[in-house]
Amino acid sequence: MRFSGRERSIVLALREGPASGAELATRLGVSRGTVLRDIARANDILRRTGAGLIEAEPIYRLSIQSQDALDALLSSVFDDETAMLLAILSSPRPTVMDVEERTGLSNATVRACVGSANRRYSRTLSIEMKSGRGIEVVFEKSSPADFVAALAARDRAVLTELQTLAGPWMTAAGLMSQEIESFQQEMEPWLTLQEARTQVYAAIVTAPFELGEPLSLTVARASIDRLISRKRDLHSWLLAHRYELIGRASDLLASHGMRVSRPDLPTVMFEHIARSAMFTTLMTDEFRTQVNRIRIDHPIEFDFAQDLCEYLESLRKDVFLEHELCALYVIGTGLCSTGQSLAILLLCGRRSLESVNRAMLENTFDNVTVTSVYDVQSAEREYGTGAYSILIRDDSFADKGLERLPWNLVCRGILSDADLAALKRAVTDSQYRTSLPDILPEVSFAEIGVAGDGYLSMLSCGLELFLERGVIRKEEVASIMARECQGQCLRFNGVAVPHCITLTPADRPRLLALTLDTPVKVEDEPISLIIVVLVSKRQEDKSSIFSYLYSMLGTVASPHSGMRYQELLEVLEGNSDGIKQRVH
């Protein structure tokens, strides 16, 4: 139960002082009729929560009955798209009119939110508004309850909403804390108590949508039983396929030529993807932007992670995995050490994120001891031992007891490795700068006439040219094209960077460069330069070349069409004048 954006704005305005309907309409940029409807809905929420009442005199005035209840309502804020999703996924037969009424959103806003959700969650679900048949939602992966639970884990306001809506039904259904704890203990070690409770809340809220009936005691209990049955089935399946998935991870590590610091990585990676399968994760746009930048530096790890996650998803169609989290775990195992010894206490609300952050910390510091806890009481007990010099928690907790501990860091999701990456990059950049003519000789450079063809055609044409010159092997051409055809195009600032792992022994990468006389578009981004990276399976360092290319080409003006070989060398050596003079 929450205010829409306008309703919240009205209550905030009236908390400052009385106002007329005309003043509120002007302030919000809507009609007086819209203000009247918003006030009526806001009043219903205020009454039901005991927060207060909007009194209608000659002007509107807010009468506060419970400041705590009002503060809770005003702090429970999430965007229109999330409000639309919750309205749809908690209705037995949702229609656009139902969603408009429940959210206070206009018809145009609801339609815009549907389009936005289809783009953002295209791998998970699709929403279609059908004339005369309401709103149809098809889940390609995951389930309505898992999806809504993932929204709640990402946004505390959503979790508060679920608790408010589901709490009374949990009590009525007789599902007390002991029963949830028993269910969670069955799912060990892949589901925390907090996650299990969130999934039960989500199962109740989405019960009308999943079962096609209005929420009742019978429907709530049936939805809870359905959730537990589904999780038990997945838990048993993961146990039965443990060694198959560990073996697949090991094979993929070898095929990608990845050397890792810990021999048990395939096993701990299975544990990570098992946790992610049991509780779906949905990355925020902000986090995805951050991850996309990391992918530029570590494309091999991301290729490996996607291959592994897609393998599990191919075996189990109802599982949805964020490949990027798996990639970050692998990247964490390759970080350099600082030589500093630390004892770290890590408070986590999500086991899947805990495993990634633990990998980051353990491979950043020598002789580090990381102790993970999952509730504030355990954190207080551990801190009381006096054994920890660093305290880290994520921002999913809102307990009042948190202020009693001196947190060194409150993180939002994954810990950043930006400082360590910058140090590593400074060393490797110098090495690449002095060896450029060897890793990118002139025979590995070509100019291509576009003549209206697309990116893949241009790439294929250029690779065939290099094949004729003898600077690339036939199997390498096939590998590059297969990866690009899967939509794995790595690109930035007008540069595309296709790549592959090659069996050819080498201690450093090989580069091939194609400059185009006319830009071609990849997902609406114009590409004027293609740099193909070939890294040997036996090469110890496979990622730093990508960081180097980005540092030289990603932070200056975009490359111009028809760039010459010497110009490109100058740019890659750190002299970007060749680009700047021709960009106009």
Side-chain angles (χ1 to χ4, degrees):
M1 187 180 303
R2 61 180 286 275
F3 293 134
S4 70
R6 279 201 314 269
E7 291 158 4
R8 182 174 183 271
S9 296
I10 288 173
V11 173
L12 285 172
L14 294 178
R15 192 172 64 170
E16 295 173 4
S20 68
E23 289 171 339
L24 291 171
T26 301
R27 183 166 179 170
L28 298 174
V30 296
S31 68
R32 286 195 64 185
T34 298
V35 168
L36 287 173
R37 287 193 297 272
D38 288 343
I39 287 177
R41 187 175 183 277
N43 247 339
D44 181 56
I45 295 173
L46 289 167
R47 286 194 191 96
R48 291 168 65 183
T49 58
L53 180 69
I54 298 176
E55 299 172 344
E57 298 176 355
I59 56 176
Y60 293 105
R61 185 185 307 274
L62 177 64
S63 173
I64 301 174
Q65 296 171 0
S66 169
Q67 188 64 54
D68 287 344
L70 181 62
D71 289 343
L73 280 174
L74 293 174
S75 64
S76 181
V77 179
F78 41 83
D79 59 30
D80 291 345
E81 180 184 294
T82 302
M84 178 272 300
L85 286 166
L86 290 178
I88 291 175
L89 297 177
S90 59
S91 301
R93 286 169 292 277
T95 66
V96 175
M97 187 175 296
D98 292 336
V99 174
E100 291 174 14
E101 184 175 339
R102 291 184 59 183
T103 62
L105 302 175
S106 67
N107 184 280
T109 301
V110 171
R111 292 181 180 276
C113 288
V114 167
S116 174
N118 278 333
R119 290 188 294 273
R120 179 172 286 115
Y121 305 114
S122 59
R123 291 186 57 237
T124 312
L125 55 77
S126 62
I127 306 172
E128 186 176 356
M129 294 183 291
K130 296 191 172 182
S131 178
R133 288 187 290 171
I135 299 175
E136 183 177 294
V137 184
V138 176
F139 277 83
E140 306 293 339
K141 299 281 185 183
S142 191
S143 70
D146 284 341
F147 180 80
V148 169
L151 290 176
R154 195 178 69 181
D155 189 334
R156 188 162 190 85
V158 177
L159 177 59
T160 301
E161 179 82 352
L162 295 189
Q163 291 170 332
T164 301
L165 295 173
W169 293 103
M170 284 181 63
T171 303
L175 189 75
M176 309 306 291
S177 296
Q178 185 175 356
E179 188 170 348
I180 300 177
E181 290 175 11
S182 176
F183 160 59
Q184 181 266 329
Q185 289 167 4
E186 288 183 53
M187 303 299 106
E188 284 281 1
W190 302 328
L191 197 67
T192 68
L193 182 58
Q194 181 174 329
E195 289 172 337
R197 286 174 174 163
T198 301
Q199 287 183 335
V200 171
Y201 294 144
I204 294 173
V205 171
T206 60
F209 178 84
E210 289 212 67
L211 301 178
E213 300 179 32
L215 192 57
S216 65
L217 181 59
T218 301
V219 169
R221 186 74 225 199
S223 184
I224 294 167
D225 292 341
R226 184 172 176 172
L227 167 76
I228 292 176
S229 176
R230 190 168 62 241
K231 292 301 172 183
R232 283 174 174 157
D233 175 69
L234 177 56
H235 186 263
S236 298
W237 184 90
L238 287 166
L239 287 173
H241 289 77
R242 174 193 293 268
Y243 295 109
E244 177 184 353
L245 291 166
I246 290 173
R248 183 66 174 182
S250 189
D251 291 344
L252 286 172
L253 284 169
S255 66
H256 285 77
M258 298 172 64
R259 293 177 175 83
V260 293
S261 58
R262 50 188 305 174
D264 64 339
L265 182 62
T267 299
V268 295
M269 285 191 61
F270 164 76
E271 298 289 333
H272 169 68
I273 62 176
R275 284 188 286 269
S276 299
M278 290 292 291
F279 194 103
T280 300
T281 297
L282 298 174
M283 297 197 301
T284 63
D285 289 343
E286 177 185 2
F287 183 48
R288 195 174 295 279
T289 299
Q290 178 188 5
V291 166
N292 286 339
R293 175 62 190 90
I294 297 174
R295 178 173 175 254
I296 293 173
D297 292 338
H298 301 277
I300 307 302
E301 290 87 345
F302 276 78
D303 292 346
F304 160 78
Q306 178 151 344
D307 289 344
L308 177 60
C309 291
E310 286 183 347
Y311 178 74
L312 188 152
E313 289 177 328
S314 72
L315 297 176
R316 186 82 187 199
K317 300 297 184 183
D318 59 332
V319 167
F320 172 78
L321 299 172
E322 291 280 21
H323 309 155
E324 293 83 352
L325 291 178
C326 184
L328 290 174
Y329 189 93
V330 181
I331 293 168
T333 67
L335 295 179
C336 58
S337 298
T338 65
Q340 186 177 0
S341 178
L342 292 172
I344 299 176
L345 181 62
L346 184 63
L347 173 60
C348 292
R350 299 289 309 281
R351 283 186 181 269
S352 58
L353 298 188
E354 181 272 345
S355 60
V356 176
N357 283 335
R358 173 182 287 273
M360 294 283 187
L361 293 168
E362 289 178 345
N363 291 278
T364 299
F365 304 98
D366 289 332
N367 304 317
V368 67
T369 301
V370 180
T371 301
S372 298
V373 291
Y374 304 99
D375 58 76
V376 178
Q377 293 73 26
S378 297
E380 290 179 328
R381 284 196 301 270
E382 288 291 338
Y383 176 70
T385 65
Y388 301 97
S389 52
I390 296 292
L391 276 69
I392 303 173
R393 71 172 175 87
D394 64 43
D395 66 352
S396 65
F397 293 87
D399 305 65
K400 292 185 177 179
L402 288 170
E403 67 267 17
R404 293 195 291 268
L405 299 182
W407 301 103
N408 299 92
L409 176 67
V410 179
C411 64
R412 186 174 186 178
I414 304 300
L415 296 169
S416 171
D417 66 338
D419 293 338
L420 294 171
L423 176 63
K424 183 179 178 180
R425 195 173 299 137
V427 176
T428 56
D429 284 1
S430 176
Q431 297 172 342
Y432 287 128
R433 193 173 291 113
T434 58
S435 61
L436 269 175
D438 295 323
I439 63 177
L440 178 57
E442 192 163 3
V443 69
S444 298
F445 177 88
E447 299 178 49
I448 299 291
V450 173
D453 292 329
Y455 166 72
L456 289 176
S457 296
M458 290 298 94
L459 176 59
S460 177
C461 178
L463 293 177
E464 289 297 326
L465 176 60
F466 290 133
L467 184 62
E468 292 175 6
R469 293 182 183 179
V471 297
I472 192 172
R473 297 173 182 268
K474 190 172 183 179
E475 61 271 18
E476 294 169 345
V477 172
S479 178
I480 292 168
M481 291 304 302
R483 177 63 62 179
E484 294 296 291
C485 287
Q486 290 175 358
Q488 300 301 310
C489 181
L490 181 66
R491 61 189 186 278
F492 52 81
N493 197 29
V495 182
V497 189
H499 56 275
C500 81
I501 302 293
T502 173
L503 296 175
T504 305
D507 58 1
R508 59 188 178 185
R510 294 146 54 205
L511 301 182
L512 314 174
L514 293 168
T515 181
L516 311 180
D517 65 353
T518 304
V520 295
K521 287 193 175 181
V522 179
E523 296 182 2
D524 295 328
E525 180 177 353
I527 301 297
S528 299
L529 177 66
I530 302 174
I531 296 185
V532 181
V533 178
L534 300 162
V535 289
S536 172
K537 186 175 181 180
R538 303 182 188 181
Q539 188 178 321
E540 291 287 345
D541 177 10
K542 296 182 178 64
S543 296
S544 59
I545 182 60
F546 298 97
S547 300
Y548 176 73
L549 291 174
Y550 180 79
S551 67
M552 295 295 106
L553 294 166
T555 57
V556 296
S558 301
H560 64 79
S561 300
M563 177 181 288
R564 306 298 181 186
Y565 175 68
Q566 288 299 328
E567 287 181 283
L568 179 57
L569 283 188
E570 289 176 3
V571 172
L572 291 178
E573 288 170 350
N575 176 13
S576 60
D577 290 343
I579 285 183
K580 292 178 179 177
Q581 291 171 0
R582 297 285 296 276
V583 75
H584 303 293

